[in-house]
């Protein structure tokens, strides 16, 4: 159903330099509980944003991690959705659109698993497939409105009806006339998940059937009466007995026990079910009604009379007065005294209740545990409770349930409360969980680093120590020696190589080189666009026919003539043309100069039918410099910005790169947007190298950050079952081996072994 988590109106006209608009902690936690681990939600807001303002509408973040943030940038004319992925990486999805136009708009961003839909004024503007967001939001997460934090991301304008809706197609609550008949991406993923679960059930069932057939073949033509031993007692084949809360039998020389299922007792009105010493299931016991509460036979209750004296009663068919024993003198301060309901004498905090006789009620594989005002039973390690008070506990078979740590060359053997890893024949023990065929350290057949000592454990890799961290993904290979990732240089790999100015790159004449941290790409010049082939050097840039696409400014008395990288406005022979221009459906005279209506910092001119626009030239020595358009001319502290680490100060107009984002200081406000990356085409597997920002094509799916899972492609697992691309399952008879279908050109699968935080592919 519909779950609206947030509703409100915010007037954010900024007339001061600081504000603190965030949801109260208790309210925020209620909201986060409903949003946590959800795959389908919608952010709705009605807003009116100042021109050129870049501000945050809603931000849910913990420390530096933005789990969900919606931002509108008037500087870049785009809407940004920031979130953390399932792989715990920060991701930003940008949608080119100008909301900061000082007009009212309805905005809706709906997420369904990996599918996002953007509506503006009830019109579907964008629909994309994105990397799955993670809503595994920790406690103490802060929810901000109209700002990212106390210092950054201030929204300027008015917001109202801000809603965070957890339901399919949440935009319906803002635009009820929109179509909602189609299933969401979450619905489809749910169906695929059910199919994968059924595949897993089929695999396990097939494996069990195979093992059963093997056992049946081993029993053919063999008969012998076997016996079983348990707790020092010997039992014959097919003999049954009761052991605590289990019914046990001897079958084929093996003790098999099942937990006793206790039916709820049908007790008469004057009795109630309760545990009786020596029995497993609850039995009907007489009850007593005392002061509006029901007590079972043997229960004690202390009360105070009108004089303040303590009286003790015990349920014995009816509540009977019991004589109080003298109370011992307490040795603790009065602030440490605890009053109990089943006795008149107070006790000190930390009193040992188990020594008073409760311990005998903890019968089988259970031990008494002291609490603040009493005690209870708790199962010993390696056992699980057989009834709700944990007085009887049964052994956990770690081997059968895959809850052991036995590794290579061993066999798991269950023991009471634990397990053992027995070495296979011909192998010697390394530690409690693994065995080896020989002693590599003694024979010298090991792969230890020359700076390591061969020992039992992980001494295979030793790392050099550098004075200071190697930056931008660099590796410390020798003391104080960093090997830099491609695109960086310097002693600590702190300097980005500008491939464009250093002559490493030669782009096509129709493209210009754009430098990026650790990388570069060739971007089509004005008047050109890519034909869809996305060649690395810009060869795929082709001319835009402004005349055919009506992207020209020629007046009606001239004829548009397309040229390479632009167009001309030509006057027909014999006519006297004015050279005027058409711009934004307005007539401009030849030679006229004007300022754009929606950008006072851009100046345009009409020159023989062609409109030429440029940013205003800033002369900071002039007393008439427009500080709005030339923030770098403002020397005041209020126009400066702090770096995200709060250690570096930037002047207005300065730019820098932080965490794969391009940031700019604009009149005291920081605006950041994702760095542009060259497209990766014809690429099924991609990876972002450590210390870099843009994905590269790779061939090994096991090392890929992202894989395009196509469920029309399949793999065949070790049991001969067909698995969909993207499916994951636990390898049979193991706990630490996770298999996943990652399709190359032909179906194949990988396994990941997890042990003590390390992964081996």
């Amino acid at each position: 159903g519909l779950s609206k988590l947030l509703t409100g109106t915010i007037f954010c006209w900024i007339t001061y330099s600081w504000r603190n608009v965030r949801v109260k902690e208790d309210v925020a936690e209620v909201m986060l509980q409903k949003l946590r681990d959800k795959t389908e939600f919608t952010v709705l807001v009605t807003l009116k944003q100042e021109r050129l303002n870049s501000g945050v509408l809603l931000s849910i973040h913990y420390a530096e991690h933005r789990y969900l943030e919606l931002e509108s940038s008037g500087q870049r004319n785009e809407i940004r959705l920031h979130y953390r992925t399932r792989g715990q990486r920060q991701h930003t999805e940008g949608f080119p659109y100008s909301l900061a136009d000082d007009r009212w708009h309805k905005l809706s961003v709906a997420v369904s698993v990996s599918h996002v839909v953007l509506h503006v004024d009830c019109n579907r503007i964008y629909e994309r497939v994105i990397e799955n967001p993670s809503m595994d939001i920790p406690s103490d997460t802060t929810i901000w409105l109209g700002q990212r934090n106390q210092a950054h991301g201030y929204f300027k304008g008015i917001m109202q009806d801000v809603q965070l809706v957890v339901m399919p197609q949440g935009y319906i609550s803002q635009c009820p006339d929109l179509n909602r008949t189609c299933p969401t991406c979450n619905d489809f993923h749910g169906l695929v998940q059910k199919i994968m679960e059924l595949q897993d059930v089929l695999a396990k069932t097939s494996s069990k059937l195979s093992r059963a057939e093997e056992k049946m073949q081993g029993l053919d033509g063999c008969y012998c009466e076997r016996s079983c031993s348990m707790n020092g007692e010997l039992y014959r084949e097919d003999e049954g007995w009761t052991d605590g809360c289990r019914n046990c039998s001897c079958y084929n020389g093996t003790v098999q026990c099942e937990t006793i299922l206790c039916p709820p007792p049908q007790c008469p009105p004057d009795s109630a079910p309760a545990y009786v010493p020596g029995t497993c299931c609850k039995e009907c016991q007489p009850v007593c009604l005392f002061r509006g509460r029901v007590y079972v036979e043997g229960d004690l209750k202390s009360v105070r009379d009108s004089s303040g004296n303590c009286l003790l009663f015990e349920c014995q068919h009816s509540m009977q007065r019991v004589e109080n024993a003298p109370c011992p003198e307490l040795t603790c301060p009065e602030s440490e005294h605890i009053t109990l309901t089943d006795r008149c004498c107070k006790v000190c905090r930390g009193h040992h209740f188990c020594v008073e006789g409760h311990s005998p009620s903890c019968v089988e594989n259970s031990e008494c545990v002291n609490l603040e005002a009493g005690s209870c039973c708790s199962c010993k390690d390696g056992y699980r409770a057989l009834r709700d008070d944990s007085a009887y506990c049964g052994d956990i078979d770690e081997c059968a349930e895959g809850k052991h740590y036995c590794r290579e060359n061993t066999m798991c053997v269950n023991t009471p409360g634990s397990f053992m890893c027995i070495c296979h024949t011909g192998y010697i023990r390394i530690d409690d969980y693994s065995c080896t065929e020989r002693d590599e350290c003694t024979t010298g057949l090991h792969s230890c680093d020359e700076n390591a000592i061969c020992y039992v454990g992980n001494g295979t890799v030793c790392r050099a120590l550098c004075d200071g961290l190697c930056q931008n993904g660099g590796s410390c290979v020798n003391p104080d020696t960093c090997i830099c990732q491609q695109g960086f240089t310097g002693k600590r790999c702190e300097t980005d190589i500008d491939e464009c100015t250093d002559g490493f790159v030669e782009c096509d004449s129709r493209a210009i080189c754009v430098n990026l941290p650790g990388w570069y790409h060739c971007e089509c010049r004005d008047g050109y666009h890519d034909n869809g082939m996305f060649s690395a050097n810009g060869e795929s840039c082709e001319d835009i026919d402004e005349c055919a696409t009506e992207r020209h400014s020629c007046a009606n008395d001239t004829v548009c003539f397309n040229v390479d990288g632009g167009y001309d406005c030509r006057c027909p022979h014999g006519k006297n043309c004015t050279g005027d221009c058409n711009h934004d459906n307005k007539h401009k005279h030849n030679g006229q100069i004007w300022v754009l209506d929606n950008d006072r910092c851009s100046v345009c001119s009409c020159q023989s039918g062609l409109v030429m626009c440029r940013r205003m030239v800033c002369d900071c020595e002039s007393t008439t410099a427009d500080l709005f358009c030339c923030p770098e001319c403002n020397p005041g502290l209020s126009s400066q910005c702090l770096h995200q680490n709060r250690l570096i100060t930037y002047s207005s107009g300065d730019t820098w790169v932080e965490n794969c984002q391009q940031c700019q200081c604009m009149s005291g406000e920081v605006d950041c947007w994702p760095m542009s990356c060259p497209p990766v085409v014809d690429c099924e597997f991609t990876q972002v190298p450590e210390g870099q920002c843009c994905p590269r094509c790779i061939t090994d799916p096991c090392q890929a950050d992202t894989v395009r899972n196509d469920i029309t492609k399949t793999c065949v697992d070790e049991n001969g079952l067909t698995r969909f691309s993207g499916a994951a399952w636990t390898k049979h008879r193991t706990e630490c081996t996770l298999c996943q279908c990652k399709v190359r050109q032909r179906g194949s699968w990988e396994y990941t072994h997890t042990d003590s935080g390390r992964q081996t592919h």
Side-chain angles (χ1 to χ4, degrees):
L2 176 64
S3 179
K4 292 185 179 179
L5 305 185
L6 178 67
T7 302
T9 302
I10 305 173
F11 297 88
C12 296
W13 292 104
I14 305 304
T15 57
Y16 47 88
S17 59
W18 182 90
R19 70 171 184 251
N20 185 5
V21 183
R22 57 180 171 179
V23 180
K24 293 182 178 179
E25 293 181 2
D26 55 340
V27 178
E29 183 56 32
V30 173
M31 295 170 53
L32 295 176
Q33 285 180 0
K34 295 186 178 182
L35 183 62
R36 203 165 277 136
D37 297 326
K38 294 296 187 296
T39 58
E40 204 152 34
F41 55 87
T42 303
V43 179
L44 305 170
V45 59
T46 302
L47 57 87
K48 182 180 180 183
Q49 186 177 10
E50 274 191 11
R51 296 183 187 275
L52 301 179
N53 168 245
S54 293
V56 171
L57 310 181
L58 172 69
S59 181
I60 301 177
H61 69 258
Y62 177 80
E64 299 300 322
H65 303 309
R66 290 185 283 187
Y67 282 86
L68 180 64
E69 182 177 294
L70 188 60
E71 179 185 13
S72 171
S73 173
Q75 298 288 341
R76 302 279 297 180
N77 289 330
E78 67 179 356
I79 301 168
R80 301 172 189 150
L81 178 65
H82 308 278
Y83 64 89
R84 283 184 72 77
T85 67
R86 292 282 178 85
Q88 298 306 307
R89 294 190 303 274
Q90 196 67 42
H91 181 75
T92 299
E93 196 72 21
F95 304 93
Y97 196 89
S98 178
L99 281 179
D101 57 3
D102 208 20
R103 298 177 183 176
W104 283 102
H105 294 287
K106 288 183 178 181
L107 175 66
S108 163
V109 179
V111 176
S112 178
V113 190
S114 59
H115 182 226
V116 61
V117 181
L118 174 72
H119 286 85
V120 178
D121 298 328
C122 297
N123 296 308
R124 180 172 296 196
I125 306 299
Y126 290 101
E127 185 172 5
R128 292 182 185 172
V129 175
I130 61 174
E131 193 169 354
N132 289 9
S134 169
M135 290 295 108
D136 184 14
I137 306 174
S139 301
D140 300 327
T141 296
T142 308
I143 303 178
W144 296 84
L145 296 176
Q147 59 194 97
R148 177 172 300 119
N149 49 44
Q150 293 180 352
H152 297 110
Y154 280 9
F155 172 86
K156 293 183 180 181
I158 306 175
M159 287 194 298
Q160 66 182 32
D161 297 332
V162 184
Q163 299 179 29
L164 186 55
V165 182
V166 181
M167 62 172 289
Q169 300 168 328
Y171 51 80
I172 297 300
S173 60
Q174 188 182 66
C175 304
D177 294 331
L178 291 178
N179 177 32
R180 50 180 164 181
T181 58
C182 295
T184 65
C185 190
N186 187 62
D187 297 334
F188 176 75
H189 277 257
L191 176 61
V192 173
Q193 182 63 33
K194 287 296 182 184
I195 295 175
M196 291 181 177
E197 290 174 1
L198 289 174
Q199 281 187 324
D200 199 45
V201 171
L202 178 60
K204 292 179 179 178
T205 304
S206 300
S207 179
K208 289 180 180 179
L209 180 59
S210 177
R211 293 200 304 271
E213 290 176 347
E214 291 175 1
K215 289 183 178 180
M216 292 295 294
Q217 291 175 359
L219 292 174
D220 288 346
C222 175
Y223 176 80
C224 57
E225 184 175 356
R226 299 184 179 183
S227 60
C228 303
S229 177
M230 183 176 182
N231 299 329
E233 296 287 335
L234 192 64
Y235 300 94
R236 297 187 61 181
E237 183 78 0
D238 294 331
E239 184 177 355
W241 66 97
T242 300
D243 179 56
C245 283
R246 299 177 301 170
N247 286 328
C248 300
S249 62
C250 179
Y251 177 73
N252 199 25
T254 303
V255 175
Q256 296 182 346
C257 297
E258 293 182 351
T259 303
I260 295 176
L261 298 178
C262 298
Q266 302 297 322
C267 298
D270 58 346
S271 64
Y275 288 118
V276 178
T279 63
C280 179
C281 299
K282 290 182 177 180
E283 298 180 358
C284 295
Q285 296 293 305
V287 296
C288 305
L289 184 63
F290 184 65
R291 294 195 174 187
R293 294 190 62 181
V294 175
Y295 297 88
V296 181
E297 186 83 2
D299 285 352
L300 296 171
K301 175 62 179 176
S302 62
V303 297
R304 299 274 178 183
D305 61 14
S306 59
S307 301
N309 299 318
C310 181
L311 306 177
L312 187 63
F313 293 86
E314 182 179 4
C315 179
Q316 301 173 358
H317 295 287
S318 64
M319 295 301 283
Q320 303 292 328
R321 175 82 178 274
V322 179
E323 286 297 325
N324 292 334
C327 293
E329 183 178 353
L330 300 180
T331 59
C332 59
E334 187 174 352
S335 61
E336 296 292 314
H337 292 183
I338 297 177
T339 301
L340 305 175
T341 61
D342 62 349
R343 65 186 72 181
C344 286
C345 297
K346 296 182 179 180
V347 298
C348 290
R349 190 180 304 277
H351 181 73
H352 204 322
F353 293 96
C354 289
V355 300
E356 295 183 345
H358 181 78
S359 182
S361 64
C362 302
V363 184
E364 185 177 339
N365 303 315
S366 178
E367 54 191 5
C368 182
V369 178
N370 278 299
L371 303 176
E372 176 76 12
S375 59
C376 69
C377 296
S378 177
C379 292
K380 297 178 181 179
D381 290 342
Y383 297 87
R384 65 164 61 95
L386 299 180
R387 70 182 201 184
D388 52 13
D389 63 352
S390 298
Y392 289 85
C393 302
D395 175 54
I396 299 174
D397 189 342
E398 292 86 357
C399 300
E401 297 182 13
K403 296 180 178 179
H404 61 85
Y405 309 108
C406 296
R407 301 182 63 186
E408 58 273 5
N409 309 318
T410 66
M411 177 179 63
C412 179
V413 176
N414 187 59
T415 61
S418 185
F419 63 94
M420 294 178 60
C421 302
I422 306 299
C423 291
H424 289 161
T425 304
Y427 291 84
I428 60 174
R429 182 170 300 282
I430 297 177
D431 52 32
D432 290 343
Y433 307 113
S434 56
C435 303
T436 185
E437 190 174 9
R438 58 185 179 274
D439 187 345
E440 291 88 348
C441 295
T442 302
T443 61
L445 300 175
H446 57 79
S447 59
C448 293
D449 188 280
E450 61 179 4
N451 299 313
I453 298 174
C454 183
Y455 70 105
V456 175
N458 182 20
T460 304
V461 178
C462 295
R463 294 183 178 178
L465 179 64
C466 288
D467 183 16
L469 296 177
C470 298
Q471 302 177 20
N472 297 309
S475 302
C476 183
V477 293
N478 287 311
D480 291 335
T481 303
C482 293
I483 295 296
C484 301
Q485 292 272 4
Q486 179 181 348
F488 294 95
T489 187
K491 184 177 181 181
R492 295 289 173 263
C493 307
E494 72 279 3
T495 304
D496 171 53
I497 297 175
D498 190 338
E499 293 86 355
C500 299
T501 60
D502 292 348
F504 291 103
V505 181
E506 184 176 350
C507 293
D508 188 85
S509 61
R510 294 163 292 183
I512 58 174
C513 182
V514 177
N515 184 59
L516 300 170
W519 196 235
Y520 70 93
H521 75 105
C522 295
E523 187 176 275
C524 295
R525 296 179 182 271
D526 291 340
Y528 298 90
H529 68 151
D530 199 279
N531 60 12
M533 299 302 293
F534 298 106
S535 60
N537 66 348
E539 289 181 351
S540 54
C541 295
E542 62 181 21
D543 174 57
I544 298 173
D545 189 341
E546 293 86 356
C547 301
T549 58
E550 296 185 354
R551 298 169 62 178
H552 61 86
S553 59
C554 299
N556 294 334
D557 58 352
T558 59
V559 176
C560 179
F561 188 83
N562 186 64
V563 296
D564 192 36
Y567 63 94
D568 281 340
C569 299
R570 299 184 180 181
C571 185
H573 182 69
K575 291 189 64 175
N576 185 18
C577 298
T578 61
D580 292 347
C581 305
N582 287 323
H583 186 257
D584 287 343
N585 296 322
K586 294 180 181 179
H587 186 81
K588 303 294 182 182
H589 295 291
N590 188 17
Q592 183 177 347
I593 301 175
W594 68 96
V595 176
L596 291 179
D597 293 338
N598 58 355
D599 183 3
R600 78 185 203 194
C601 302
S602 293
V603 179
C604 299
S605 63
C606 175
Q607 301 175 12
S608 301
L610 301 180
V611 173
M612 317 290 269
C613 295
R614 59 175 175 82
R615 294 289 292 179
M616 184 182 296
V617 177
C618 295
D619 181 6
C620 294
E621 295 182 359
S622 172
T623 58
T624 60
D626 188 342
L627 297 183
F628 180 83
C629 301
C630 303
E632 63 269 25
C633 298
N634 185 357
L637 291 177
S638 61
S639 68
Q640 295 181 338
C641 303
L642 275 178
H643 186 275
Q644 287 85 344
N645 61 18
R646 296 187 174 273
L647 299 177
I648 305 174
T649 302
Y650 293 99
S651 299
S652 190
D654 288 350
T655 61
W656 67 96
V657 174
E658 173 67 17
N659 289 334
C660 297
Q661 292 193 106
Q662 184 75 40
C663 298
Q664 184 177 25
C665 176
M666 295 297 294
S667 300
E669 294 185 18
V670 177
D671 186 24
C672 297
W673 55 92
M675 293 185 53
S676 300
C677 288
V680 284
V681 294
D682 297 331
C683 189
E684 192 161 9
F685 310 112
T686 61
Q687 179 191 46
V688 179
E690 183 180 359
Q692 298 189 24
C693 301
C694 296
R696 309 274 183 93
C697 290
I698 60 173
T699 57
D700 185 359
C702 299
Q703 305 299 324
D705 292 332
T706 57
V707 180
R708 292 201 297 254
N709 290 327
D710 183 356
I711 64 169
T712 62
K713 298 181 180 179
T714 59
C715 304
V716 178
D717 68 9
E718 70 276 15
N719 295 318
L721 288 175
T722 300
R723 303 276 187 172
F724 286 129
S725 176
W729 67 96
T730 302
K731 193 174 182 181
H732 176 57
R733 294 183 178 177
T734 67
E735 183 184 31
C736 299
T737 302
L738 177 67
C739 301
Q740 186 176 16
C741 178
K742 290 185 175 181
V743 179
R744 293 187 178 95
Q745 295 301 319
R746 300 174 64 183
S748 61
W749 52 274
E750 69 155 333
Y751 71 89
T752 300
H753 177 76
T754 305
D755 177 36
S756 302
R758 296 180 291 112
Q759 287 191 341
T760 303
H761 294 272

